[in-house]
Amino acid sequence: MSRLSPQGALWGHERPLPVLPACVHYAGRAKFIEKALALQSERGPVFDVSTDCEDGAPVGAELPHARAMAALIASGANRFDRVGARVHDVHHPVAVEELAILVGEAGDRLAFLTCPKAESEADVLRFLDRLTLETARRGLGREIPVSVMIETHGAVREAWAIAALPGVVSLDFGTMDFVSAHHGAIPASAMDSPGQFDHPLLRRAKCETAAAALGRAVVPAHGVTRSLDDADVVYADARRARNEFGFLRMWSIHPAQIEPILRAMRPEAAEIETAAAVLSAAQVADWAPIRVGDALHDRASYRYCWSVLQQARAAGAAMPASASEFFGVEAR
């Protein structure tokens, strides 16, 4: 009899964390998106690409821009169906038409939609209702995943409620807008490191965002690093975001940032090897408690080990053969 996979054995009625690539690359101009898609085609779907219909759209030309982004999403350059779009906030005058364009012209290919500037759970519900109506009107027969940006006071306050909404797969913390929302009370230096990690108000907001996301089984995603050319700075920021604050995904705004973000988001090689060995032994024992070396392992540590392997795979890490086979087994 075939043995249960980790996913099938370790998750019952609880919601597992969505498996998303550890990096999402944002670009608003066609030539930059095309470069990102070429890199994704070369590297594989180890990072997502997001077209930017908010900051990337010229004022007054938002709808033509949305059509251009939809065409890129629906094109053959989107080899892995891992391209999404950030739209305007729900109160923007073009929000309804923009959503109709993206869903109508690329809805069957959209990996996700990102909802910015939410002030409350009500704003996100409004967006989700519009999205549900539009997908039904188009007869798509699928639910488009939603990322919600946490970049306002209200969104931080209601992060737990937002993360619990159906269809939400990630909470994305926007450092720069959150700093700006404080009317100058937080210095501009906090938009960069080390301030973005050390300022108490930012630490509180980031901790609350990550805790709400993980507590509701959605992915916490960290915002941008403004350093475009220094890979060491990008790596250090991504590493702090992961290890100190629990973020499992991070935004890129330049192709040179993608690789250091992926490296920083990977578990250590030794941890990957240990996790694979523990899960292999647990599977043989039909997921009963076991001893590995001088340590006891049970379902709690099995879940941790499975999370390590999923995160490693999502960040494009090399996987032991014993781990690779787990991902080819259907959960049941």
Side-chain angles (χ1 to χ4, degrees), residues 27-43:
R29 295 176 63 183
K31 68 176 184 178
F32 295 138
I33 296 165
E34 289 164 357
K35 288 181 179 179
L37 291 175
L39 182 61
Q40 189 189 58
S41 180
E42 175 187 323
R43 291 287 311 277

Side-chain angles (χ1 to χ4, degrees), residues 2-332:
S2 62
R3 297 188 182 278
L4 284 172
S5 69
Q7 192 70 23
L10 301 177
W11 299 98
H13 298 296
E14 296 170 325
R15 177 186 177 184
L17 199 71
V19 180
L20 300 176
C23 177
V24 53
H25 178 71
Y26 273 76
R29 295 176 63 183
K31 68 176 184 178
F32 295 138
I33 296 165
E34 289 164 357
K35 288 181 179 179
L37 291 175
L39 182 61
Q40 189 189 58
S41 180
E42 175 187 323
R43 291 287 311 277
V46 294
F47 67 93
D48 282 343
V49 175
S50 182
T51 61
D52 193 351
C53 293
E54 187 193 24
D55 291 345
V59 175
E62 292 90 351
L63 299 183
H65 183 80
R67 291 189 184 94
M69 298 299 100
L72 283 167
I73 295 165
S75 73
N78 179 11
R79 287 186 55 195
F80 306 106
D81 287 335
R82 291 306 312 171
V83 183
R86 176 167 67 164
V87 297
H88 283 85
D89 69 88
V90 294
H91 302 290
H92 195 279
V94 305
V96 174
E97 290 178 88
E98 179 183 71
L99 187 63
I101 290 169
L102 289 166
V103 174
E105 299 181 16
D108 57 341
R109 305 288 304 281
L110 274 166
F112 57 91
L113 289 168
T114 301
C115 173
K117 306 292 188 297
E119 292 283 354
S120 63
E121 178 191 14
D123 279 352
V124 182
L125 279 169
R126 185 175 177 180
F127 176 77
L128 293 172
D129 287 345
R130 286 178 182 173
L131 179 58
T132 298
L133 182 64
E134 197 59 46
T135 54
R137 190 167 73 88
R138 301 287 180 169
L140 288 184
R142 67 176 291 242
E143 182 181 83
I144 298 172
V146 171
S147 297
V148 179
M149 295 195 69
I150 305 298
E151 52 188 342
T152 67
H153 299 287
V156 171
R157 183 182 63 248
E158 300 189 22
W160 284 83
I162 291 169
L165 294 173
V168 174
V169 294
S170 75
L171 298 187
D172 298 20
F173 186 79
T175 301
M176 294 174 67
D177 279 283
F178 190 71
V179 170
S180 295
H182 282 76
H183 308 288
I186 299 177
S189 60
M191 291 185 181
D192 299 302
S193 295
Q196 68 160 321
F197 294 109
D198 294 341
H199 193 285
L201 288 175
L202 282 165
R203 291 183 67 89
R204 178 193 70 87
K206 289 184 180 185
C207 287
E208 189 64 19
T209 298
L214 295 167
R216 299 296 197 189
V218 304
V219 175
H222 195 274
V224 304
T225 288
R226 295 201 295 172
S227 177
L228 302 180
D229 300 319
D230 192 330
D232 291 339
V233 171
V234 177
Y235 176 86
D237 282 357
R239 202 66 179 166
R240 286 197 75 179
R242 185 186 190 279
N243 289 349
E244 294 182 30
F245 294 86
F247 287 94
L248 301 176
R249 179 169 160 99
M250 184 164 168
W251 286 32
S252 159
I253 52 172
H254 189 281
Q257 294 183 333
I258 295 171
E259 181 55 34
I261 289 172
L262 290 175
R263 282 193 291 112
M265 288 289 171
R266 290 170 190 154
E268 297 291 345
E271 189 175 20
I272 297 170
E273 292 282 350
T274 298
V278 168
L279 290 179
S280 294
Q283 189 180 54
V284 171
D286 291 325
W287 306 101
I290 59 172
R291 174 174 177 162
V292 176
D294 62 351
L296 171 70
H297 290 274
D298 59 14
R299 292 178 66 85
S301 56
Y302 299 158
R303 287 188 178 192
Y304 178 84
C305 289
W306 182 228
S307 295
V308 168
L309 294 188
Q310 289 179 305
Q311 291 161 20
R313 187 171 186 248
M319 302 288 285
S322 58
S324 298
E325 67 184 32
F326 289 136
F327 296 97
V329 178
E330 291 295 331
R332 57 183 180 84

